[in-house]
Amino acid sequence: MGGRSRQNCLHTIGQTDFPTSDHRLSRVFYSIDAEYNVQEAGRPSCSRYVSTHPAPSLPESALPPTSLTLRHVFLGKGTQNYTCANTSSTPVAAGALATLYDISCQVTDPKSRTKFDQKLIPDFLKNFSKPVQDLLPSKAPGASVGVHYFRDGSTPMFVLNDGHFVAAGKVGGCAAPSCATGNENGAAVDWLKLARKQGEVYGGIEEVYRVQTAGGRAPAACSKPGPLTVEYVAEYWMYG
């Protein structure tokens, strides 16, 4: 992923818990444009497209590199969660909660990747109340493919609608590059590398990168005691 400073641009062209007793969430049925020749029930609809096209390069950063194969790229839209002890305390991280959407086709296609990263990621945050379907390109699948949340307040979970999931742990992190379009005023949460925890059931995913973040960073100080949520959007690159 290169040795450039983390302040450089990314492209040369541009303790909220879900129930954990049942990871098999309700199945979603959908199809996408016939151009991709894919129609799957409950699975990320662009997975076949990714497997038959040249894999894009992971956005450059100071994160440790991967030697694995790209499987999916998901858009995560939700909240970074924090807790506040009192009005003078610093917010303490308490996990995240986000809905996942399959954007593998858009990121794999060089014609749409730059537009997606530079325009749509910030747009998703600025228009957070709008349904994702209203902002995604017409050829993109509009239904969610899963959820991201934290189990036990410390273990990131990625649970797909077909029952596959990965429980991960942090192995690397770096500040979002200052030139990233979603990092206005330093408001974007860090980029991360996560790895599957040994002994967990999983669906072929070994590593997860959180990149292209927009929003999510907590304020410097709390305004009142209790939970604090900050809206964010990010890309999650899945390798296996």
Side-chain angles (χ1 to χ4, degrees):
M1 291 189 286
R4 299 185 183 182
S5 164
R6 70 184 183 184
Q7 298 300 318
N8 288 347
C9 290
L10 316 180
H11 304 291
T12 56
I13 57 173
Q15 170 151 86
T16 303
D17 291 332
F18 267 43
T20 58
S21 59
D22 183 6
H23 295 292
R24 190 171 294 273
L25 306 182
S26 58
R27 192 174 298 272
V28 174
F29 293 88
Y30 58 89
S31 62
I32 66 172
D33 193 275
E35 173 184 347
Y36 301 126
N37 192 29
V38 179
Q39 187 173 20
E40 302 183 26
R43 293 185 179 275
S45 58
C46 285
S47 58
R48 189 182 306 169
Y49 185 85
V50 171
S51 67
T52 58
H53 288 69
S57 299
L58 187 68
E60 293 187 19
S61 73
L63 294 176
T66 184
S67 60
L68 302 179
T69 301
L70 181 64
R71 302 298 185 189
H72 316 290
V73 182
F74 296 142
L75 171 74
K77 177 187 174 187
T79 59
Q80 292 288 315
N81 302 326
Y82 305 87
T83 58
C84 290
N86 52 59
T87 55
S88 61
S89 63
T90 300
V92 176
L97 178 62
T99 303
L100 300 175
Y101 301 86
D102 190 3
I103 58 171
S104 302
C105 297
Q106 286 66 48
V107 173
T108 302
D109 183 353
K111 295 180 181 179
S112 61
R113 176 176 177 179
T114 301
K115 177 182 178 182
F116 197 97
D117 290 345
Q118 296 184 354
K119 183 180 187 302
L120 288 180
I121 290 296
D123 282 354
F124 286 125
L125 185 64
K126 293 174 183 176
N127 300 279
F128 195 84
S129 61
K130 285 187 177 182
V132 166
Q133 294 88 334
D134 291 351
L135 298 175
L136 282 171
S138 61
K139 293 178 181 178
S144 69
V145 295
V147 293
H148 165 47
Y149 64 97
F150 274 63
R151 187 185 66 189
D152 305 325
S154 62
T155 303
M157 300 288 297
F158 298 86
V159 184
L160 302 186
N161 294 336
D162 66 354
H164 286 101
F165 71 93
V166 58
K170 179 181 174 181
V171 296
C174 68
S178 59
C179 67
T181 53
N183 195 27
E184 288 83 359
N185 302 316
V189 288
D190 289 354
W191 292 18
L192 301 176
K193 180 179 181 179
L194 310 174
R196 178 182 66 86
K197 286 188 173 181
Q198 293 297 323
E200 298 284 2
V201 178
Y202 67 106
I205 302 301
E206 293 288 340
E207 296 176 347
V208 178
Y209 285 81
R210 184 180 77 185
V211 296
Q212 304 292 21
T213 54
R217 185 171 295 280
C222 297
S223 60
K224 61 181 180 179
L228 169 67
T229 59
V230 182
E231 295 171 346
Y232 89 107
V233 177
E235 292 180 7
Y236 290 95
W237 292 51
M238 307 278 183
Y239 290 83

